[in-house]
Amino acid sequence: MPAPLTDLSRCSLHTMTTKPWSLAQAVDGYRRAGIPGITVWRQHLQAAGIDAGAKLLRASGLTVTALCRGGFFPAVDRAGREKAIADNRQAIDEAAAIGAPMVVLVCGAVPGLPLAEARRQIADGIAAVADHARSSGVRLAIEPLHPSYAGDRSAINTMAQARRICQQFDLELPGSSAVDRKVVGIAADVYHIWWDDALEDELVLAGHHGWLHAFHVCDWKLVQSEMLNDRGIMGEGCIPIRTIRGWAESAGFRGFNEVEIFSTKYWAEDQDALVAKCAAAYLAAV
Ligand code: ZN
């Protein structure tokens, strides 16, 4: 297991962690708390306006770690799939505008659509936008979601499934580090993949091949009131976060550890206090 982190220099917060805050409030709050990184969710960026948001972020001194999220490629008809591809092109443009190195992909699933078909459509959708991503200087990070989301959020549920899509592409972005040199890679989120007995091997493989784009942290509470918005702060649940961070780092990962917590409970609290809690938990449990 790696040594505990002694400072916040690799800490990033997702704006969804502080969902009630506007982009301007998040920038201000993270800076006051000494958090150097920010992953921007599109709803917060679009509410601020793309140009105004980009200007705000540039002036903030914060490192933009990613734009969340693109994806949702599968659809029951061609029009739906084309709409998704257009939206992903727009997400890539938004990422480029704010200096985000990647768009995180929640790949999508449609109730009733066979998972194998959804997976084909996801690979096709990524293929349709990958060149645009490369020419925009933006990576695409496939985020495998826990299998409990296979019904309607993502047909990509394991690191191995994400890897098999990455293996279909050989696009590189010049100037990037070895561990994330490929345009199409993976956002590894401990919430979704901690249970996987192939996790260590897959992280090492992803790092070796240049697919390890991002590392997300929160915790898995043993009792969750619902599937989406009751995630725990690091240390509150059963995920061996520090061990998994060690695996990512043994694979060469030196990027930000992104705190991404969907929680109706925490969104109802004072958000400054929540950021302070996240910072303390980051040092104690990540
Ligand atoms: Zn995530």
Side-chain angles (χ1 to χ4, degrees), residues 14 41 68 104 143 145 187-189 192 216-217 231 260:
H14 280 231
W41 278 64
C68 277
V104 175
E143 180 163 358
L145 294 202
D189 184 326
H192 298 296
H216 297 176
V217 297
R231 297 185 189 175
E260 181 193 27

Side-chain angles (χ1 to χ4, degrees), residues 111-175:
L113 189 71
L115 287 171
E117 175 59 20
R119 288 172 189 140
R120 263 194 300 277
Q121 293 183 13
I122 288 164
D124 288 350
I126 293 172
V129 301
D131 282 330
H132 182 57
R134 180 173 59 169
S135 61
S136 305
V138 173
R139 290 171 184 73
L140 301 172
I142 299 166
E143 180 163 358
L145 294 202
H146 188 275
S148 65
Y149 299 104
D152 61 354
R153 284 184 183 270
S154 184
I156 304 300
N157 308 106
T158 63
M159 289 287 289
Q161 287 172 337
R163 165 173 56 78
R164 287 197 285 272
I165 294 181
C166 294
Q167 284 170 326
Q168 297 176 30
F169 299 91
D170 198 30
L171 300 171
E172 299 209 1
L173 261 183

Side-chain angles (χ1 to χ4, degrees), residues 3-40:
L5 296 157
T6 54
D7 60 46
L8 299 173
S9 60
R10 287 172 58 206
C11 181
S12 174
L13 254 58
H14 280 231
T15 59
M16 271 299 273
T17 298
T18 53
K19 187 183 177 188
W21 271 353
S22 68
L23 181 61
Q25 286 174 309
V27 162
D28 183 49
Y30 300 177
R31 288 181 61 189
R32 278 186 284 110
I35 310 281
I38 183 169
T39 279
V40 179

Side-chain angles (χ1 to χ4, degrees), residues 43-219:
Q43 67 203 70
H44 291 114
L45 178 62
Q46 289 172 354
I50 311 300
D51 292 343
K55 202 170 153 190
L56 174 73
L57 288 161
R58 264 197 306 277
S60 71
L62 296 177
T63 298
V64 179
T65 37
L67 179 73
C68 277
R69 59 191 186 202
F72 290 99
F73 291 107
V76 289
D77 58 21
R78 187 182 183 86
R81 291 192 290 279
E82 283 174 0
K83 191 165 166 237
I85 287 166
D87 184 60
N88 277 274
R89 285 180 188 280
Q90 191 187 324
I92 290 163
D93 294 342
E94 290 172 12
I98 63 170
M102 75 189 87
V103 174
V104 175
L105 302 179
V106 172
C107 289
V110 177
L113 189 71
L115 287 171
E117 175 59 20
R119 288 172 189 140
R120 263 194 300 277
Q121 293 183 13
I122 288 164
D124 288 350
I126 293 172
V129 301
D131 282 330
H132 182 57
R134 180 173 59 169
S135 61
S136 305
V138 173
R139 290 171 184 73
L140 301 172
I142 299 166
E143 180 163 358
L145 294 202
H146 188 275
S148 65
Y149 299 104
D152 61 354
R153 284 184 183 270
S154 184
I156 304 300
N157 308 106
T158 63
M159 289 287 289
Q161 287 172 337
R163 165 173 56 78
R164 287 197 285 272
I165 294 181
C166 294
Q167 284 170 326
Q168 297 176 30
F169 299 91
D170 198 30
L171 300 171
E172 299 209 1
L173 261 183
S176 51
S177 71
V179 77
D180 64 354
R181 64 188 184 275
K182 295 291 170 66
V183 172
V184 179
I186 298 171
D189 184 326
V190 298
Y191 183 83
H192 298 296
I193 54 178
W194 67 276
W195 54 272
D196 185 347
D197 67 350
L199 180 54
E200 181 176 7
D201 290 346
E202 290 291 342
L203 283 169
V204 168
L205 209 53
H208 178 72
H209 287 278
W211 302 319
L212 193 47
H213 290 187
F215 186 63
H216 297 176
V217 297
C218 68
D219 215 337

